[in-house]
């Protein structure tokens, strides 16, 4: 009788990246963020006693900052699994040198892959709407680089960009840049399955049931709120050269036993 292969019992995870990996906007009651990487770590810890976890991600980081500030730290930890998601913040900048982004991502992957048992890369999710359409060519150029690097290094690629469920605007917070708690849960499920574990949710990629779209007034109110609370501050930071991650430490800077 054929049996399913047993997935490796990975004993450590280090997450590298920006706000997507930090966990915004999966807000906890104490004001901190959880996010897909924390959800994934909890599952892995439940399976493996003594499991250790670090999350080096910081919101707002560009791929050059991720390489300069996080990659060497992750390499020194020698974890079983490393997740790397970066470069998307670069693609959203008005002036973006995609050649430099590709070179920096290549450098990160080539340094991380030999330092762990399994490197996990992602094709990041994108929210339906005019913003995604505007930046889609850059995003797809970035994802083509991800696929090429995975083919050369043996990294896993989790395709979130191609998941219909994660394109649904209902999976995104009011800032339209970060996933809700449900979106993060689905990302954790996708990575969990990519690592070879039995599914806990076989339908994570399936779109949510259709509902009536909000009316014109509700959409205009939401647009005004978004502009006031998120878009204008974001533009202000760009004009002043500031970032939401300036002077912010990683959420879990040390590779320590996981505790929920």
């Amino acid at each position: 009788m054929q049996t399913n292969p047993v997935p490796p019992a990975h004993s450590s995870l280090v997450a590298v990246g920006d706000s997507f990996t930090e966990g915004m906007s999966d807000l906890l009651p104490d004001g901190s963020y959880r996010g897909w990487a924390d959800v994934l770590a909890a599952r892995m810890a439940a399976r493996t006693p003594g499991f250790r976890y670090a999350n080096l991600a910081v919101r707002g980081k560009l791929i050059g900052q991720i390489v300069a500030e996080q990659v060497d730290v992750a390499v020194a930890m020698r974890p079983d699994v490393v997740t790397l998601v970066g470069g998307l913040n670069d693609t959203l900048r008005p002036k973006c040198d995609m050649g430099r982004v590709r070179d920096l991502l290549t450098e990160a992957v080539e340094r991380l892959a030999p330092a762990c048992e399994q490197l996990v890369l992602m094709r990041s999710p994108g929210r339906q709407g005019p913003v995604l359409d505007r930046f889609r060519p850059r995003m797809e150029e970035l994802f083509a680089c991800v696929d090429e690097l995975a083919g050369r290094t043996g990294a896993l690629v989790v395709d979130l960009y191609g998941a219909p469920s994660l394109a649904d605007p209902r999976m995104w917070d009011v800032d339209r840049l970060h996933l809700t708690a449900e979106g993060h849960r689905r990302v954790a499920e996708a990575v969990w399955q990519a690592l070879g574990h039995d599914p806990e949710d076989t339908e994570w990629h399936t779109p949510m049931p259709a509902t009536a779209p909000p009316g014109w007034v509700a959409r205009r109110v939401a647009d005004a709120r978004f502009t006031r609370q998120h878009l204008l501050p974001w533009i202000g930071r760009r004009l002043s050269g500031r970032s939401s991650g300036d002077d912010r430490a990683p959420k879990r800077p040390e590779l320590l036993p996981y505790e929920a």
Side-chain angles (χ1 to χ4, degrees), residues 105-218:
L105 182 62
T106 299
E107 179 183 348
V109 169
E110 291 180 344
R111 287 160 62 183
L112 288 168
C116 63
E117 292 183 9
Q118 185 61 69
L119 177 62
V120 179
L121 308 175
M122 297 187 199
R123 293 162 57 92
S124 304
R127 181 184 187 274
Q128 291 175 350
V131 174
L132 175 63
D133 291 340
R134 177 182 177 184
F135 296 104
R136 190 186 301 274
R138 289 180 182 175
M139 293 172 63
E140 294 184 348
E141 184 176 350
L142 177 68
F143 300 155
C145 181
V146 166
D147 291 341
E148 189 272 331
L149 289 169
R152 287 202 287 111
T153 63
L156 293 174
V157 177
V158 182
D159 185 14
L160 306 173
Y161 182 70
S165 65
L166 294 177
D168 190 323
R170 292 172 294 177
M171 287 287 178
W172 296 77
D173 193 47
V174 294
D175 66 1
R176 304 181 184 181
L177 285 174
H178 301 106
L179 292 170
T180 62
E182 174 60 16
H184 279 285
R185 184 196 67 79
R186 294 190 184 216
V187 173
E189 178 67 32
V191 182
W192 175 256
Q193 292 183 29
L195 289 171
H197 297 285
D198 290 336
E200 294 188 11
D201 176 8
T202 59
E203 302 296 327
W204 71 266
H205 56 283
T206 301
M208 297 171 64
T211 59
W216 185 90
V217 173

Side-chain angles (χ1 to χ4, degrees), residues 230-249:
H230 301 286
L231 180 59
L232 292 178
W234 184 84
I235 292 173
R237 290 195 297 271
R238 298 291 80 75
L239 292 175
S240 64
R242 294 179 292 112
S243 168
S244 58
D246 288 348
D247 302 318
R248 182 175 293 274

Side-chain angles (χ1 to χ4, degrees), residues 60 62 89-96 135 138 234 238:
L62 303 174
N89 282 335
D90 298 78
T91 69
L92 300 177
R93 298 295 178 101
K95 296 181 180 179
C96 173
F135 296 104
R138 289 180 182 175
W234 184 84
R238 298 291 80 75

